[in-house]
Amino acid sequence: MLQALQASKDFLSLTLDHPFNIDQAFSYHLTNNTLVEVWDTGVIVFTPKVANGKDVILSCAVHGNETAPIELCNDLIGQILNESIEVKQRVMFLIGNPAAIHNGTRFVDENLNRLFSGAHSEGEGLTNPERVRAKKLESYVDRFFESGNQHDHRIHYDLHTAIRGSKHEKFAIYPFRPGRKYSSEQIMFLASCGIETVLFHHEPTTTFSYYSSEKFHADAFTIELGKVMPMGQNDMTRFIAMKDMLIRLVSNQPLELPEFDESRLNLYQVCRAINKGFEDFEFTFANDVENFTAFPRGYILAKEGGNEIKVEQPIEAIVFPNAKVPVGQRTVLMLKPASTENIA
Ligand code: ZN
């Protein structure tokens, strides 16, 4: 495997050749002295000879059919391996669910991004490959952050694409962080990446970014980069700003972030999640309604079990509507405009 990676510099194809695990971990040094370690399938860590105080995790393919972030990450990995980028920070890339990439689907048995913070071992336990993978991914995050300096700035960007169209093409979800202010610097980093819309989440969840945020106080985000497209059909020119900023970040070049500027941003507060209570749950709006479409107070959003679910705030916008989830799971997140008082 070592020789295959050194020859091809294509970590994605190596990962797809071994969708569940590799025979054994391996490592080598690049000629610029960067240590390359492959801990497991889809798990590659770069350690420069001298690190500069940031520990950066970039994850993709937590949903297997969200291909643009996979192509973006594999391109960055390839450039690090061929030494056209030299990392000056510790960096770990994670390709979340290789089996689902093979399948061309969001997941095989269960939504991986609902299985973190221990959810993988609850209920029926480690009964499917996604549950097993979630537990392993947690252990790699633990090992990566714990083997850095404890005062390092910990960062985790979990990269996704959305199922449906969106009024704001790219957006980030800022996990719930009780007792900690939101970071204006991180928000402006995202804006410089072309991500000018941020949702502040309102409660603990079992997503990957919440795991890093809660357990390691990382600046962690779920980042949505546009609409799902088949592999190879993504317009990668839409990610030029993002790629440029990620290269600056990992190679410790000046980020040149602008001052916090609310007028450039769309900031939303999640006001509630609507969970599915009955099998017959259905939305009243059309299937192709875009994320961030807003509805007025009293508007009937959905019906289930003979009840109507209405908009409660003066205006609420929707994001991630999906009626086809199991009973008990979230069908949609409802948003209201956010205040900036918790941003520092
Ligand atoms: Zn996703």
Side-chain angles (χ1 to χ4, degrees), residues 63 66 106 160-161 224:
H63 292 136
E66 298 176 2
R106 190 169 164 80
H160 290 249
T161 52
E224 301 284 348

PDB file of all heavy atoms in Angstrom, residues 63 66 106 160-161 224, ligand 1:
ATOM      1  N   HIS A  63     -21.163  11.668   4.320  1.00  0.00           N
ATOM      2  CA  HIS A  63     -22.232  11.197   3.424  1.00  0.00           C
ATOM      3  C   HIS A  63     -21.583  10.825   2.088  1.00  0.00           C
ATOM      4  O   HIS A  63     -20.937  11.657   1.442  1.00  0.00           O
ATOM      5  CB  HIS A  63     -23.295  12.278   3.230  1.00  0.00           C
ATOM      6  CG  HIS A  63     -24.069  12.549   4.489  1.00  0.00           C
ATOM      7  ND1 HIS A  63     -24.376  13.801   4.931  1.00  0.00           N
ATOM      8  CD2 HIS A  63     -24.586  11.688   5.414  1.00  0.00           C
ATOM      9  CE1 HIS A  63     -25.053  13.715   6.078  1.00  0.00           C
ATOM     10  NE2 HIS A  63     -25.198  12.438   6.384  1.00  0.00           N
ATOM     11  N   GLU A  66     -21.746  12.797  -1.429  1.00  0.00           N
ATOM     12  CA  GLU A  66     -21.456  14.235  -1.451  1.00  0.00           C
ATOM     13  C   GLU A  66     -20.036  14.426  -1.968  1.00  0.00           C
ATOM     14  O   GLU A  66     -19.069  14.505  -1.214  1.00  0.00           O
ATOM     15  CB  GLU A  66     -21.696  14.828  -0.065  1.00  0.00           C
ATOM     16  CG  GLU A  66     -23.170  14.653   0.306  1.00  0.00           C
ATOM     17  CD  GLU A  66     -23.538  15.121   1.695  1.00  0.00           C
ATOM     18  OE1 GLU A  66     -22.662  15.629   2.411  1.00  0.00           O
ATOM     19  OE2 GLU A  66     -24.715  14.977   2.047  1.00  0.00           O
ATOM     20  N   ARG A 106     -25.942   8.301   0.167  1.00  0.00           N
ATOM     21  CA  ARG A 106     -25.674   9.075   1.374  1.00  0.00           C
ATOM     22  C   ARG A 106     -25.105   8.172   2.480  1.00  0.00           C
ATOM     23  O   ARG A 106     -24.169   8.518   3.164  1.00  0.00           O
ATOM     24  CB  ARG A 106     -27.018   9.688   1.789  1.00  0.00           C
ATOM     25  CG  ARG A 106     -27.032  10.709   2.860  1.00  0.00           C
ATOM     26  CD  ARG A 106     -28.442  11.334   2.847  1.00  0.00           C
ATOM     27  NE  ARG A 106     -28.725  12.063   4.061  1.00  0.00           N
ATOM     28  CZ  ARG A 106     -28.286  13.294   4.309  1.00  0.00           C
ATOM     29  NH1 ARG A 106     -27.522  13.919   3.427  1.00  0.00           N
ATOM     30  NH2 ARG A 106     -28.613  13.898   5.429  1.00  0.00           N
ATOM     31  N   HIS A 160     -19.568  18.965   3.459  1.00  0.00           N
ATOM     32  CA  HIS A 160     -20.737  18.276   2.889  1.00  0.00           C
ATOM     33  C   HIS A 160     -21.242  19.022   1.660  1.00  0.00           C
ATOM     34  O   HIS A 160     -20.810  20.131   1.369  1.00  0.00           O
ATOM     35  CB  HIS A 160     -21.885  18.260   3.913  1.00  0.00           C
ATOM     36  CG  HIS A 160     -21.647  17.384   5.089  1.00  0.00           C
ATOM     37  ND1 HIS A 160     -22.356  16.223   5.317  1.00  0.00           N
ATOM     38  CD2 HIS A 160     -20.776  17.503   6.120  1.00  0.00           C
ATOM     39  CE1 HIS A 160     -21.921  15.663   6.435  1.00  0.00           C
ATOM     40  NE2 HIS A 160     -20.970  16.420   6.946  1.00  0.00           N
ATOM     41  N   THR A 161     -22.217  18.400   0.973  1.00  0.00           N
ATOM     42  CA  THR A 161     -23.064  19.134   0.033  1.00  0.00           C
ATOM     43  C   THR A 161     -24.502  18.783   0.356  1.00  0.00           C
ATOM     44  O   THR A 161     -24.776  17.713   0.912  1.00  0.00           O
ATOM     45  CB  THR A 161     -22.770  18.769  -1.441  1.00  0.00           C
ATOM     46  OG1 THR A 161     -22.812  17.354  -1.584  1.00  0.00           O
ATOM     47  CG2 THR A 161     -21.418  19.272  -1.884  1.00  0.00           C
ATOM     48  N   GLU A 224     -21.661  23.164   4.217  1.00  0.00           N
ATOM     49  CA  GLU A 224     -22.403  22.704   3.037  1.00  0.00           C
ATOM     50  C   GLU A 224     -21.938  23.520   1.838  1.00  0.00           C
ATOM     51  O   GLU A 224     -22.045  24.745   1.827  1.00  0.00           O
ATOM     52  CB  GLU A 224     -23.913  22.909   3.247  1.00  0.00           C
ATOM     53  CG  GLU A 224     -24.478  22.171   4.457  1.00  0.00           C
ATOM     54  CD  GLU A 224     -24.651  20.683   4.230  1.00  0.00           C
ATOM     55  OE1 GLU A 224     -24.556  20.236   3.072  1.00  0.00           O
ATOM     56  OE2 GLU A 224     -24.879  19.959   5.227  1.00  0.00           O
TER      57      GLU A 224
HETATM   58 ZN    ZN B   1     -23.975  15.636   4.184  1.00  0.00          ZN
END
